[in-house]
């Protein structure tokens, strides 16, 4: 973006400049001015549904949604005023009173945008009577649970499913207070065409869509997060592992400037529990009398090294071959081929790129 | 990769995957993108939503066919004829990129002469694709501004694999689509670090960064770096060849790190037999795979979540892997195990230490990685080539100039697959992957969600064939080839063509590679997994 494409404006007495085409919301967020917002997400774009992001703009009548109005030259915005705060409070209180927004046992406690908005606005309990919809949960799919009682109908999941990953499964069904996110023509998720990529789970601002296998395994603030690369295909999705008690509890795609822009597929998001499988090998094994038996590292290594030397001396280096791995790191592959070439003295080293 | 390296000078995806969001046209051939590289599938569909066009060439009705502008359903193993036919149209209509051909390529005349032999009447006869459909698709493809070509194992896993790739290069050169944003020739790599394993010299003919083992200067450089003498100057045995040599008693020991050839290699009965013939069989893995069960010695290895290091994705982006959990039991790091073996064999300095220290040694001998450091990778991945620390990395290859200088047009002739259906084995079998499982399923098969979605194997059979053989969906059928047989559930589906069957190869209890043929492409030595003749019997 070139210099002349910048616009200068004022938000809450702070003079800022942003590239042309930036919304007031993003201009504020990029400059450290907090405006709560529930339906806007960078991947699904503006929605102007929740209206929690309302601001006052000088010269414009009524309140404006910051997520949909573009920053203009010399614009003066008042984001935090008595009027905007009162409206935001009312909206958040209405959302909290509609459905089942009890944080105590919610999987998203500590990682919930509605909870954050309520905290920011100082709401402990809503002033309106709570309408508990008592709608049934959809637990029919292997990876995802949908709780319509926690849904705030922000449409992020629907937009993600239809406009980001194009699985075209989710839609808003029924009317008004009965509105609920449905799969296909109102099928249980487990019987629908949903492929469990989990884009919707990551986009959900509240606890309406959560990871089934993570239930009860820890609160978000107890997790250690580690950024790494997915072990499956060659796309190399960047992922954030949420770890507690030496177990991967949930997986988020890393949003922003990554090759996957926060998206994952079913394997990356829900297929990493193999690392904790009881089938993992834990000790070296050596074949004795036809059977593989657990042995010490020293025994396994000594046996193997002496046998390799014996074969090399008797039959030559060409009688030994190795397969390195497309699932191992560059460092491991480098060391393996160096071993075959420098120690065994053979170029008989290949891997499964051909398969 | 051999096809790309010979014609362009570099065997890697030319463009970056996020560019596909802005492409105007796609030609997707031999890649079931939405199942095997789902995130790239998202980008293709995002472009289609903005108005891009899509040509799918695949014998099987993959999901992307629903979104395609043109579906060219070629007979298995006739890709060269199909591409030649498309190029024949482009040249005959005068739609080739003349300036690009003039300035950036060579061998055009010989190529053109050959392509002109492939008139659409002949091509329709070979491929089974209607001439008119080929003509329309070719014209629309040539007229597109940014046309991206994506391919995968459906192209390479043929005895003509190398020439298949060269044909695709021809098409992209003819239309001026290499070295351009949103276009390019893009092999989609199937595993997290196939690219890196190749870059690091996990190949029989090259050291790291594709430096040939047959070049004495290159050998001298590595002899000095590694402190050894007399490095092997001969090209080694590839994966299928080393098992053949074991079968013949010429190879006595095989050391495998993280691979499962008993399930992944063609003609598994033959592989198993070869392994039994070895004096020493070493397997290093996270699970006791079908291959590890046959080992003399098994070393327990860490999973991706238990190690530090780097991997290189299909867009040549080098990215960090970071340790998140402690490995179980007595598991040791892979590089450490190999280092300990070397130490006991009288070579004490195989590994310089930590993964970062190993990476520093890699930088010294791998010019394309020289500018990448662990510190830089903290701010996101870097795409090679990256020759120095000030270099930003390379998003698009061959932009101003091909790595080779001028790109090479190739003369490619159609060749029938090694094994065609006959009376005894009347069906064409293709093997491949599905969304919910991965490779030999040593990872995905131990995942709760994935197994719930795809618990067991199946063979896709066309409804007309099923009716003729009186097979109902869900029934077990016997599948036989000249090499082996198995039983598997039938899935009646419109995805295969009539006379074709598709079998996922992830499952050990009905292992597809009992059936496949070990016929190889003579250059790349890739087996022909996409065409084998089989018989289907009701049980």
């Amino acid at each position: 973006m070139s210099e002349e494409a910048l616009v200068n404006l004022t938000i809450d007495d702070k003079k800022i400049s942003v590239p042309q085409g930036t919304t007031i919301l993003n201009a504020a967020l990029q400059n450290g001015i907090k405006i709560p917002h529930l339906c806007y997400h960078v991947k699904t774009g503006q929605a102007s549904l929740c209206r929690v992001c309302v601001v006052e703009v000088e010269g414009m009548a009524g309140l404006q949604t910051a997520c949909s109005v573009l920053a203009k030259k010399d614009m003066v915005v008042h984001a935090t005023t008595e009027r905007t705060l009162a409206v935001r409070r009312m909206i958040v209180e209405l959302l909290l009173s509609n459905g089942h927004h009890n944080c105590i046992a919610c999987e998203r406690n500590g990682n919930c945008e509605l909870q954050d908005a309520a905290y920011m606005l100082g709401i402990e309990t809503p002033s309106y009577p709570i309408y508990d919809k008592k709608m049934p949960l959809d637990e029919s799919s292997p990876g995802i649970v949908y709780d319509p009682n926690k849904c705030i109908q922000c449409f992020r999941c629907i937009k993600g499913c239809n406009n980001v990953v194009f699985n075209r499964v989710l839609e808003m069904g029924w009317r008004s207070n009965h509105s609920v996110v449905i799969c296909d023509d109102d099928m249980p998720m487990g019987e629908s065409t949903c492929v469990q990529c989990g884009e919707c789970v990551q986009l959900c601002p509240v606890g309406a869509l959560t990871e089934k296998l993570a239930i009860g395994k820890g609160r978000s603030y107890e997790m250690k997060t580690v950024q790494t690369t997915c072990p499956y295909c060659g796309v190399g999705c960047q992922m954030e592992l949420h770890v507690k008690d030496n177990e991967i509890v949930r997986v988020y795609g890393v949003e922003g400037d990554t090759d996957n822009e926060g998206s994952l597929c079913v394997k990356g998001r829900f297929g990493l529990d193999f690392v904790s499988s009881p089938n993992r090998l834990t000790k070296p094994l050596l074949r004795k009398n036809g059977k593989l038996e657990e042995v010490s590292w020293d025994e396994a290594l000594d046996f193997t090294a002496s046998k390799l030397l014996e074969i090399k001396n008797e039959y030559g280096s060409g009688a030994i071959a190795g397969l390195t791995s497309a699932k191992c790191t560059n460092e491991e592959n480098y060391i393996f081929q160096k071993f075959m070439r420098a120690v065994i003295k053979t170029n008989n080293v290949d891997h499964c790129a051909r398969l | 990769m051999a096809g790309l390296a010979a014609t362009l000078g570099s065997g890697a995806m030319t463009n970056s995957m996020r560019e596909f969001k802005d492409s105007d046209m796609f030609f997707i051939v031999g890649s079931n993108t939405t199942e095997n590289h789902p995130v790239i599938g998202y980008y293709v569909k995002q472009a289609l939503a903005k108005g891009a066009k899509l040509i799918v060439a695949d014998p099987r009705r993959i999901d992307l066919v629903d979104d395609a502008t043109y579906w060219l359903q070629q007979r298995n193993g006739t890709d060269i004829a199909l591409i030649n036919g498309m190029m024949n149209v482009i040249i005959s209509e005068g739609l080739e990129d003349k300036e690009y051909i003039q300035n950036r390529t060579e061998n055009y005349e010989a190529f053109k002469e050959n392509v002109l032999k492939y008139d659409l009447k002949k091509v329709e006869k070979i491929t089974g694709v209607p001439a008119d459909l080929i003509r329309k698709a070719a014209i629309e493809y040539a007229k597109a501004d940014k046309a991206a070509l994506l391919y995968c194992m459906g192209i390479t896993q043929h005895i003509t694999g190398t020439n298949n790739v060269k044909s695709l290069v021809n098409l992209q050169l003819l239309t001026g689509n290499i070295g351009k944003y949103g276009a390019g020739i893009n092999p989609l790599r199937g595993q997290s670090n196939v690219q890196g394993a190749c870059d690091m010299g996990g190949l029989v003919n090259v050291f790291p960064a594709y430096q040939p083992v047959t070049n004495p200067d290159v050998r001298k450089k590595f002899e000095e770096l590694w402190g050894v003498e007399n490095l092997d100057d001969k090209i080694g045995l590839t994966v299928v060849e080393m098992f053949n040599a074991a079968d013949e008693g010429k190879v006595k020991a095989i050391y495998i790190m993280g691979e499962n050839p008993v399930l992944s290699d063609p003609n598994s009965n033959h592989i198993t037999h070869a392994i039994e013939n070895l004096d020493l069989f070493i397997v290093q893995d996270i699970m006791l795979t079908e291959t590890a069960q046959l080992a003399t010695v098994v070393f327990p290895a860490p999973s991706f979540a238990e190690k530090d290091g780097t991997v290189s994705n299909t867009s040549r982006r080098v990215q960090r892997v970071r340790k998140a959990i402690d490995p179980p039991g007595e598991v040791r790091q892979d590089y450490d195990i190999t280092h300990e073996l070397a130490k006991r064999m009288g070579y004490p300095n195989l590994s310089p230490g930590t993964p970062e220290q190993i990476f520093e040694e890699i930088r010294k001998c791998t010019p394309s990685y020289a500018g990448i450091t662990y510190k830089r990778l903290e701010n996101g991945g870097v795409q090679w080539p990256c020759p120095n620390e000030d270099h930003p990395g390379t998003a698009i290859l061959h932009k101003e100039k091909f790595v080779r200088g001028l790109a090479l047009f190739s003369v490619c002739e159609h060749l029938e697959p090694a094994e065609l259906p006959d009376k005894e084995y009347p069906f064409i079998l293709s093997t491949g992957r599905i969304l919910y499982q991965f490779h030999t399923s040593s990872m995905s098969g131990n995942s709760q969600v994935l197994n719930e979605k795809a618990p067991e194997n199946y063979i896709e059979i066309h409804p007309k064939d099923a009716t003729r053989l009186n097979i109902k969906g869900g029934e077990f059928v016997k599948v036989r080839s000249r090499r082996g047989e198995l039983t598997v559930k039938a899935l009646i589906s419109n995805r295969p063509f009539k006379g074709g069957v598709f079998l996922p190869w992830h499952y050990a209890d009905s292992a597809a590679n009992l059936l496949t043929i070990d016929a190889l492409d003579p250059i790349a030595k890739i087996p022909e997994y996409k065409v084998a003749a089989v018989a289907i019997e009701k049980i």
Side-chain angles (χ1 to χ4, degrees), chain B residues 100-115:
Chain B
Y100 187 92
I101 295 165
Q102 173 71 34
N103 296 334
R104 302 203 52 186
T105 70
E106 60 184 349
N107 201 33
Y108 179 66
E109 287 307 319
F111 151 80
K112 183 176 164 184
E113 192 185 328
N114 180 55
V115 162

Side-chain angles (χ1 to χ4, degrees), chain A residues 173-349:
Chain A
W174 308 98
R175 284 288 183 89
S176 77
N177 217 12
H178 303 287
S179 294
V180 60
V181 176
I182 57 168
C183 297
D184 296 336
D185 298 324
D186 206 4
M187 304 275 282
M189 187 179 272
E191 291 165 36
S192 75
T193 55
C194 170
V195 293
Q196 303 276 292
C197 74
E199 183 82 10
C200 56
V201 176
Q202 185 161 338
L203 287 170
C204 182
V206 295
L209 286 157
T210 51
E211 301 89 348
K212 197 180 203 174
L213 298 187
I215 292 172
K217 290 200 176 152
R219 327 301 283 268
S220 59
Y221 42 82
E222 299 171 303
M223 305 281 168
K224 172 177 87 170
T225 61
V226 179
Q227 188 178 329
T228 192
T229 306
C230 179
Y232 282 103
C233 80
V235 171
C237 290
Q238 292 301 291
M239 48 175 42
E240 198 176 67
L241 306 180
H242 294 217
V243 174
K244 193 190 163 200
D245 299 335
N246 212 42
E247 186 186 358
I248 300 168
V249 176
R250 67 167 62 83
V251 183
Y252 277 8
V254 178
E255 290 170 7
D257 188 19
T258 57
D259 272 343
N260 52 310
E261 299 185 343
S263 295
L264 295 171
C265 77
V266 58
K267 294 187 283 288
R269 196 177 299 274
F270 296 120
L272 303 184
D273 45 332
F274 70 87
V275 303
S276 312
S277 160
N279 296 333
R280 283 288 303 276
L281 287 167
T282 56
K283 282 185 171 163
L285 307 174
L286 185 61
R287 191 168 297 277
K288 290 179 176 174
N289 305 317
K291 278 171 78 178
L292 285 171
E293 286 178 20
E294 289 185 356
V295 294
S296 71
W297 271 106
D298 272 335
E299 186 179 348
L301 290 165
D302 286 343
F303 167 84
T304 310
S306 65
K307 192 82 186 157
L308 279 171
L309 277 175
E310 192 185 303
I311 291 170
K312 189 180 165 189
N313 291 336
E314 192 171 338
Y315 301 101
S317 301
I320 302 172
L323 286 181
T324 186
S325 176
K327 287 187 199 75
C328 286
T329 63
N330 289 323
E331 291 77 2
E332 289 156 353
N333 275 290
Y334 175 80
I335 290 296
F336 190 90
Q337 62 88 35
K338 183 179 172 186
F339 175 77
M340 294 305 294
R341 294 193 157 110
V343 183
I344 306 287
K345 294 282 178 64
T346 177
N347 287 317
N348 291 342
V349 55

Side-chain angles (χ1 to χ4, degrees), chain A residues 115-129:
Chain A
Q115 190 187 52
D116 289 347
Y119 179 79
M120 208 167 157
L121 296 163
I123 304 164
E124 262 195 68
T125 46
S127 336
Y128 309 102

